[in-house]
Amino acid sequence: MEEEEEEARGLLADGPDEAGRDAPAVPGALPALCDPRRLAHRLLVLLLMCFLGFGSYFCYDNPAALQTQVKRVIFALGGIFNAFWLMEFGRFVFGIGGESLAVAQNTYAVSWFKGKELNLVFGLQLSMARIGSTVNMNLMGWLYSKVEASLGSAGHTTLGVTLMIGGITCILSLICALALAYLDQRAERILHKEQGKTGEVIKLTDVKDFSLPLWLIFIICVFYYVAVFPFIGLGKVFFIEKFGFSSQAASAINSVVYVISAPMSPIFGLMVDKTGKNIIWVLCAVVTTLASHMLLAFTLWNPWIAMSLLGLSYSLLACALWPMVAFVVPEHQLGTAYGFMQSIQNLGLAIISILAGMILDTRGYLFLEVFFIACVSLSLLAVVFLYLVNRARGGNLNYSARQREEMKLSHAE
């Protein structure tokens, strides 16, 4: 009986086609869409997980999409607050909720899809996030002009109505979150999963138990992302000054990383699922990012080449790096691990963004690019060290897909 219950607890992780035929039957012979063991139900959960983050990322980029309009309103009201810091404060508040949501999203992904599909699921979630940002950038300005035409004037009322309409996407995310919480609890009840096994409870005391490979994953994450997001934040003027692009062309090339990541993230996720070898793919992504920054810093090649490489490598790293946490952390610590990873990533982004601004003001873009190259180089060293540590300890981070399948089968026996 105990073995049967253990097998039932593994159904969501192993997938409907890989679970044993002797697992406890779901009461009432539920339809495929309502049966937690069936692929149709898990696809429904995946759809909810993807849309869970859409509203958050959509609203997070509102200050950038409506930057001109926000400044105009602030100055019209007498400039009581500095417009830049007010917008950054707004992004910070959105960020708190967004990162908490991301932790829950990642934990749900591992709970339902740990196994062959996990990298693809992370890729799909990233793709939906980038779609949310891209739709926001292209929609909010148009929406503001329509509201302005409807009300007959520009100002704080027009801005407020526009933001309220955009905020409807957060309601969509809330509905998805409530539905996911219900479906997850329902699956635990039907499949007799132990409470707390999905890693939803976050305990800071778990940090002391984190392994060396997990800390190396954190280091890779921080030093990689600080060379991507702050650069994109400062990139528009860089392309105008160094390459002579117009403002519109500079904006287009600066956004190509997100444009590429939307379709490529699921493709790379599927590729990593089929091949395994997560550390090797992370290594390829970091090396490609390093080459991209070196092209931007030391050559006059068309920057579309470097930015396209950056978009591809950014997509690949996200699909290969984040799922590795699930391979080195017990399930009851997943929430803590992902929360800590998100936190130190944001701390690193905050510190590096300030340093990048200071370097740009005092030394210019060449020194700024050298600084980003140094950050990516530290990430590369951490990847190499992770490979060596994983190999020395006989870890599974760089297993092929076949090796992981064999390991899963041996544990089942």
Side-chain angles (χ1 to χ4, degrees):
M1 182 64 181
E2 183 177 349
E3 293 179 356
E4 288 183 345
E5 290 181 352
E6 184 66 29
E7 186 175 14
R9 285 194 292 270
L11 282 173
L12 293 179
D14 296 336
D17 297 327
E18 298 163 20
R21 294 182 177 273
D22 297 327
V26 175
L30 297 173
L33 194 62
C34 302
D35 188 341
R37 299 178 305 172
R38 304 292 292 276
L39 177 61
H41 186 79
R42 295 166 73 239
L43 290 178
L44 173 62
V45 171
L46 175 59
L47 183 66
L48 291 172
M49 284 194 299
C50 288
F51 278 100
L52 176 63
F54 181 88
S56 174
Y57 283 95
F58 183 94
C59 290
Y60 179 79
D61 286 316
N62 275 338
L66 296 174
Q67 182 175 0
T68 303
Q69 292 86 348
V70 172
K71 286 183 177 179
R72 187 187 306 149
V73 170
I74 296 297
F75 293 141
L77 292 176
I80 299 176
F81 301 101
N82 179 281
F84 171 79
W85 289 110
L86 186 61
M87 288 189 292
E88 288 303 309
F89 176 76
R91 292 173 68 93
F92 174 74
V93 174
F94 271 122
I96 294 176
E99 299 310 330
S100 300
L101 182 145
V103 173
Q105 196 176 30
N106 293 337
T107 306
Y108 277 133
V110 175
S111 174
W112 284 85
F113 295 97
K114 185 177 181 180
K116 295 192 301 183
E117 307 145 330
L118 186 58
N119 300 285
L120 173 60
V121 170
F122 272 85
L124 287 169
Q125 290 183 161
L126 175 62
S127 177
M128 183 58 72
R130 296 284 71 88
I131 290 174
S133 298
T134 303
V135 171
N136 177 272
M137 292 292 184
N138 290 278
L139 179 64
M140 292 304 290
W142 173 85
L143 181 60
Y144 181 91
S145 64
K146 292 298 181 182
V147 174
E148 181 182 1
S150 177
L151 297 179
S153 64
H156 64 279
T157 302
T158 301
L159 180 62
V161 171
T162 304
L163 292 175
M164 286 183 64
I165 295 175
I168 294 175
T169 57
C170 283
I171 299 178
L172 171 64
S173 292
L174 175 61
I175 294 172
C176 292
L178 294 175
L180 273 172
Y182 168 74
L183 292 177
D184 195 59
Q185 291 181 356
R186 177 176 176 272
E188 287 183 351
R189 184 176 66 253
I190 293 177
L191 299 182
H192 309 294
K193 294 176 63 182
E194 289 182 16
Q195 296 294 329
K197 288 290 285 183
T198 59
E200 294 173 6
V201 179
I202 296 178
K203 296 180 180 179
L204 293 180
T205 54
D206 289 339
V207 174
K208 69 179 188 303
D209 299 323
F210 287 169
S211 62
L212 177 58
L214 183 59
W215 284 107
L216 290 173
I217 291 173
F218 292 162
I219 294 173
I220 295 168
C221 174
V222 172
F223 283 103
Y224 181 86
Y225 282 107
V226 298
V228 177
F229 294 131
F231 171 75
I232 293 176
L234 300 170
K236 181 177 179 179
V237 179
F238 170 70
F239 295 122
I240 293 174
E241 291 187 359
K242 180 171 181 176
F243 297 97
F245 284 98
S246 65
S247 177
Q248 184 177 2
S251 296
I253 192 172
N254 199 40
S255 63
V256 73
V257 173
Y258 292 159
V259 173
I260 289 177
S261 67
M264 292 307 299
S265 295
I267 295 174
F268 282 140
L270 181 61
M271 179 184 69
V272 177
D273 277 330
K274 295 298 183 182
T275 61
K277 301 290 184 182
N278 286 61
I279 296 181
I280 297 300
W281 289 120
V282 170
L283 179 65
C284 291
V286 174
V287 170
T288 304
T289 300
L290 182 61
S292 173
H293 276 291
M294 294 182 71
L295 287 174
L296 291 170
F298 304 121
T299 74
L300 291 174
W301 289 14
N302 191 318
W304 282 99
I305 300 173
M307 293 301 286
S308 297
L309 289 175
L310 184 59
L312 292 171
S313 58
Y314 165 73
S315 305
L316 177 58
L317 180 122
C319 298
L321 179 68
W322 290 83
M324 284 201 295
V325 174
F327 298 140
V328 296
V329 173
E331 288 194 32
H332 70 276
Q333 294 182 352
L334 278 175
T336 306
Y338 277 121
F340 193 80
M341 191 171 178
Q342 293 278 358
S343 298
I344 62 171
Q345 179 194 12
N346 284 308
L347 177 62
L349 287 172
I351 295 174
I352 296 301
S353 294
I354 295 173
L355 291 177
M358 295 172 58
I359 293 172
L360 179 60
D361 291 338
T362 58
R363 294 300 188 93
Y365 276 103
L366 178 59
F367 279 87
L368 180 63
E369 273 298 331
V370 172
F371 175 70
F372 286 141
I373 289 172
C375 290
V376 181
S377 298
L378 290 174
S379 181
L380 178 59
L381 288 175
V383 176
V384 174
F385 193 27
L386 177 63
Y387 176 84
L388 297 175
V389 170
N390 179 75
R391 184 165 183 173
R393 296 186 175 187
N396 63 348
L397 291 179
N398 209 40
Y399 275 4
S400 67
R402 176 175 293 183
Q403 287 176 306
R404 285 177 182 158
E405 184 66 20
E406 292 174 351
M407 181 180 68
K408 187 191 303 182
L409 291 175
S410 65
H411 287 170
E413 295 173 357

